[in-house]
Amino acid sequence: MNRNDVTEKIIGTKVLKGLQWHDIASQVGQSKEWTTALCLGQMTASPEQARVLGRIFDLTDEEQKWLQVVPYKGSLPTPVPTDPLIYRWYEVVSVYGSTIKELIHEEFGDGIMSAIDFSMDIQREADPKGDRVNVVLSGKFLPYKAY
């Protein structure tokens, strides 16, 4: 058994039980975005969070322990993603990445936006011309230091 096996079990059980990520997140006590990343193998659960997920997904004690292991981060199977939705994010970074970088550097200076001290909010935005996906990414600015 490994962390990928647990992720597959979680996904399968979610489908079989007809669960929604926001409902799972409310039981875990975290955002739907962070909880989904945890369940997909990209975050580390506390012992209590692992117990809650164990109850929701019928996980054994061993499977709950795997949720508490620091994962190997990065879930994409190929350098350029092939899933259309994920590829569009790759496209956003390809087209707008240099613009995002330029504007962050102009506003904050030389540094990066953290994906560790980070939050994300994904909401549906009603629009008469077709609903929109509203994604807000918020990461702490980390300046490069001279030494």
Side-chain angles (χ1 to χ4, degrees), residues 62-77:
E62 180 184 358
E63 290 165 332
Q64 290 176 44
K65 287 204 181 298
W66 276 107
L67 294 175
Q68 298 171 62
V69 172
V70 176
Y72 184 88
K73 306 232 185 203
S75 60
L76 300 179

Side-chain angles (χ1 to χ4, degrees), residues 3-4 6-11 14 21 24-25 28 33-43 53 56-57 67:
R3 183 62 180 88
N4 291 334
V6 178
T7 298
E8 292 300 318
K9 182 174 181 178
I10 287 172
I11 293 168
K14 179 185 176 290
W21 290 120
I24 297 163
V28 171
E33 293 81 7
W34 187 89
T35 301
T36 304
L38 167 64
C39 291
L40 296 179
Q42 296 301 300
M43 297 295 165
L53 292 172
I56 295 169
F57 294 111
L67 294 175

Side-chain angles (χ1 to χ4, degrees), residues 110-128:
D110 189 12
I112 62 169
M113 182 181 88
S114 175
I116 295 170
D117 190 343
F118 179 83
S119 65
M120 172 177 30
D121 184 45
I122 300 173
Q123 300 291 327
R124 181 183 209 123
E125 186 179 309
D127 188 303

Side-chain angles (χ1 to χ4, degrees), residues 68-129:
Q68 298 171 62
V69 172
V70 176
Y72 184 88
K73 306 232 185 203
S75 60
L76 300 179
T78 59
V80 176
T82 57
D83 178 276
L85 191 141
I86 297 172
Y87 177 79
R88 291 300 174 239
W89 277 99
Y90 182 81
E91 180 181 42
V92 167
V93 172
S94 293
V95 173
Y96 293 102
S98 57
T99 300
I100 293 166
K101 175 181 169 49
E102 179 67 22
L103 293 172
I104 288 173
H105 287 173
E106 182 175 272
E107 180 71 25
F108 294 92
D110 189 12
I112 62 169
M113 182 181 88
S114 175
I116 295 170
D117 190 343
F118 179 83
S119 65
M120 172 177 30
D121 184 45
I122 300 173
Q123 300 291 327
R124 181 183 209 123
E125 186 179 309
D127 188 303
K129 296 179 276 185

